[in-house]
Amino acid sequence: MTALRNLVVLGSTGDVWQLGRGGHSLVAPKRVGLLELASFGGFSGLSVRRAIRSVEDESSSKSATELSRVVDQTETSVSKRLHKDLTSFRRPLTVSDFSHTPENKSKMRIAFKGVPGSFSEDAALKAYPNCETVPCDEFEEAFKAVELWLVDKAVLPIENSSGGSLHRNYDLLLRHRLHIVGEVQMTVNLCLLALPGVRAEQLKRVLSHPQALSLSDNTLTGLGVTRESVDSTAGAAQDDSDNVTRFLVLARDPIIPRTDKPFKTSIVFTLEEGPGVLFKALAVFSLRGINLTKIESRPQRKRPLRVVDDSNTGSAKYFDYLFYIDFEASMADTRAQNALGHLQEFATFLRVLGCYPMDTSV
């Protein structure tokens, strides 16, 4: 019973959530009972309990020795069946699974947002050429797929050189407890697709992902077409020949920081309101010669406004912000450790989102 009890430690009572999948696509959650989840080889936790209870009901006519023998036989049978079925379970990831060596890449199942053939799938295949890609309908589905062990990692876009940051994914980074373990940079080439024989002057409407429509704003304005947003890049005309999208690789566990190659660290923090506070926060990196590659601010949803009373100007309202920063240093570097230690002196909240190898290829 010890093995069975450890296996269903998802909750001591009540129900747990199970997210299934059909083919390679994620499907809606299915609610299953805790005892149903503990069923292996036709012998469930519930039947084990019934077997033991049945023996206990007959205890008045059996000796204590006989009762103990029957219970031991029942538990031995369950243990053998459970051990046999557990061999087919996917093993938990280890540090070696986060290595960027080709032999480990072949074992990965990578979630991405979109449909097969999208740029996000291309980014997943660039990071792990031999991986099995798993499309998701929404960004948050990809986060949950990693958390529920349906996939090993997720590859999701975070910013584009023309369209800017994807704020939705910044918010999800804070909401979920995944770690950034890598990044991928992809050159994005957008094309305007139409049926054979259709001329540009005949176009009335263009369908594509909102980000692709934004990247092609100038060209589409010149064509005078109506824009309609859809879930994936159905096609758009390209505005910028140097259009690069940066993707993040997300996993359940962080990787071990190193100093033998270029690393990048991503953090999020909040500050008290006051003159020069943000300057002081950024100065902790400048004082140690650490280069910042990205800074992004997002309003705090749970505390969007701060009311400040001043004797001269009366009451004033300010937005409370979360600050996301990427900097070029490994957490194994004492400069980074000292910088974050310094930042903690006046930050009201600080979290390291990930420390990962930089991608210098495009």
Side-chain angles (χ1 to χ4, degrees):
M1 293 299 291
T2 302
L4 183 63
R5 190 177 299 110
N6 290 340
L7 188 64
V8 295
V9 75
L10 296 174
S12 58
T13 60
D15 295 333
V16 297
W17 284 98
Q18 181 185 28
L19 188 62
R21 60 184 176 88
H24 291 319
S25 299
L26 301 182
V27 299
K30 175 184 177 184
R31 200 164 180 81
V32 296
L34 186 60
L35 293 178
E36 292 180 66
L37 188 66
S39 178
F40 302 96
F43 215 124
S44 68
L46 181 60
S47 60
V48 171
R49 294 184 183 181
R50 285 176 176 172
I52 296 176
R53 188 178 299 115
S54 176
V55 174
E56 290 175 343
D57 291 340
E58 299 175 3
S59 61
S60 59
S61 61
K62 294 184 177 182
S63 65
T65 303
E66 180 67 10
L67 174 61
S68 177
R69 183 184 65 80
V70 174
V71 172
D72 288 342
Q73 288 178 347
T74 303
E75 292 189 348
T76 301
S77 176
V78 173
S79 178
K80 289 181 179 179
R81 291 172 180 265
L82 187 58
H83 177 77
K84 179 180 178 181
D85 287 301
L86 283 177
T87 58
S88 62
F89 272 54
R90 181 182 296 273
R91 65 174 179 82
L93 297 183
T94 63
V95 173
S96 62
D97 288 310
F98 298 107
S99 168
H100 286 260
T101 56
E103 59 268 24
N104 287 319
K105 293 181 183 180
S106 62
K107 304 175 184 177
M108 295 294 174
R109 300 185 72 246
I110 309 297
F112 68 95
K113 195 267 187 184
V115 297
S118 65
F119 290 119
S120 291
E121 185 182 41
D122 289 344
L125 292 172
K126 179 181 179 182
Y128 303 98
N130 299 316
C131 73
E132 175 188 355
T133 56
V134 181
C136 302
D137 291 334
E138 302 293 339
F139 288 125
E140 190 159 20
E141 284 185 12
F143 276 83
K144 291 180 179 179
V146 179
E147 291 174 329
L148 296 175
W149 292 78
L150 297 177
V151 297
D152 298 309
K153 299 178 184 178
V155 173
L156 299 173
I158 195 66
E159 64 175 333
N160 180 272
S161 59
S162 298
S165 300
L166 276 77
H167 294 145
R168 172 62 172 164
N169 284 343
Y170 272 104
D171 295 339
L172 291 174
L173 281 173
L174 187 63
R175 185 180 305 174
H176 295 267
R177 301 296 297 185
L178 299 182
H179 301 268
I180 305 173
V181 297
E183 66 175 356
V184 183
Q185 299 190 70
M186 289 278 296
T187 300
V188 176
N189 297 312
L190 299 172
C191 301
L192 187 62
L193 307 179
L195 294 174
V198 176
R199 300 189 302 274
E201 59 270 19
Q202 295 177 305
L203 297 176
K204 303 296 183 183
R205 186 175 56 147
V206 171
L207 288 74
S208 190
H209 188 275
Q211 190 77 3
L213 294 174
S214 173
L215 298 177
S216 310
D217 184 69
N218 293 339
T219 301
L220 296 180
T221 299
L223 290 174
V225 295
T226 302
R227 298 152 208 186
E228 183 175 330
S229 297
V230 293
D231 289 336
S232 186
T233 45
Q238 184 179 356
D239 269 6
D240 189 353
S241 58
D242 296 321
N243 181 13
V244 178
T245 298
R246 186 167 74 99
F247 295 80
L248 297 180
V249 182
L250 305 174
R252 289 177 292 275
D253 298 303
I255 61 174
I256 299 176
R258 294 157 55 181
T259 57
D260 59 343
K261 62 192 312 183
F263 262 66
K264 183 183 291 186
T265 300
S266 298
I267 63 173
V268 57
F269 61 91
T270 57
L271 299 168
E272 288 289 350
E273 181 64 33
V277 178
L278 181 57
F279 170 79
K280 294 177 182 177
L282 300 181
V284 305
F285 302 100
S286 177
L287 290 172
R288 294 166 177 87
I290 298 176
N291 183 44
L292 302 183
T293 61
K294 173 73 175 180
I295 181 169
E296 182 77 27
S297 62
R298 296 287 294 151
Q300 295 190 53
R301 292 191 175 188
K302 294 184 178 180
R303 189 183 176 187
L305 288 176
R306 180 202 305 266
V307 179
V308 178
D309 293 320
D310 187 280
S311 58
N312 296 323
T313 61
S315 297
K317 294 183 178 180
Y318 300 91
F319 277 108
D320 259 339
Y321 286 97
L322 291 159
F323 297 97
Y324 294 83
I325 283 182
D326 296 344
F327 60 86
E328 293 180 345
S330 169
M331 285 305 299
D333 189 337
T334 55
R335 295 180 307 149
Q337 297 170 13
N338 293 335
L340 295 191
H342 192 176
L343 179 59
Q344 280 184 313
E345 294 179 7
F346 41 86
T348 55
F349 165 79
L350 173 62
R351 176 179 157 193
V352 177
L353 298 172
C355 181
Y356 47 95
M358 294 175 55
D359 180 17
T360 57
S361 64
V362 178

